[in-house]
Amino acid sequence: MHVKTGDEVLVISGRNKGQRGKIKRALPKENRVIVENINMVKKHMRARGPRQKGGIIEIEAPIHVSNVMLICPSCGKASRTGHRFTEEGKKVRYCKACDATIGG
């Protein structure tokens, strides 16, 4: 996957197109990510004992990873990413727009 937990992303398609958010959780087996305050859905919850009340709550639903684009921390633009190896042999991501290394 081209994004990780904690990355800031831009939604490029769907009903939340144009919105930005931070990735809360990545689900690599399903190729999906959960982004803060994006793709909010209503869920009916049953009461679980006297402490937790029932009702309708709003939660973030997963969005497909192909529908988000990483926002580069150095140039601030939503851009495509690539992978390269450093001199120490570590694999890092880089921004294809400004050629800066991302997170690493």
Side-chain angles (χ1 to χ4, degrees):
M1 286 187 9
H2 63 95
V3 289
K4 295 180 181 180
T5 304
D7 287 342
E8 189 175 356
V9 293
L10 173 75
V11 180
I12 57 173
S13 69
R15 72 170 186 215
N16 298 109
K17 182 178 180 177
Q19 293 182 357
R20 300 174 126 189
K22 215 172 197 171
I23 295 184
K24 286 174 73 174
R25 196 164 157 216
L27 308 167
K29 287 184 180 176
E30 292 116 41
N31 280 330
R32 293 183 174 270
V33 290
I34 297 175
V35 185
E36 286 180 356
N37 299 320
I38 303 291
N39 200 22
M40 299 297 286
V41 295
K42 292 184 188 290
K43 183 174 181 180
H44 296 261
M45 292 291 289
R46 176 175 289 188
R48 303 258 182 223
R51 292 188 186 169
Q52 188 177 3
K53 291 189 173 183
I56 301 170
I57 60 165
E58 283 201 14
I59 60 167
E60 294 109 350
I63 187 170
H64 199 271
V65 73
S66 68
N67 294 334
V68 297
M69 191 175 244
L70 180 68
I71 295 173
C72 177
S74 59
C75 66
K77 295 180 187 174
S79 62
R80 291 168 40 195
T81 58
H83 292 86
R84 64 167 65 129
F85 291 94
T86 61
E87 293 80 29
E88 298 87 35
K90 187 176 178 187
K91 188 176 182 180
V92 294
R93 296 178 296 169
Y94 73 97
C95 172
K96 289 196 174 184
C98 67
D99 207 46
T101 302
I102 299 170

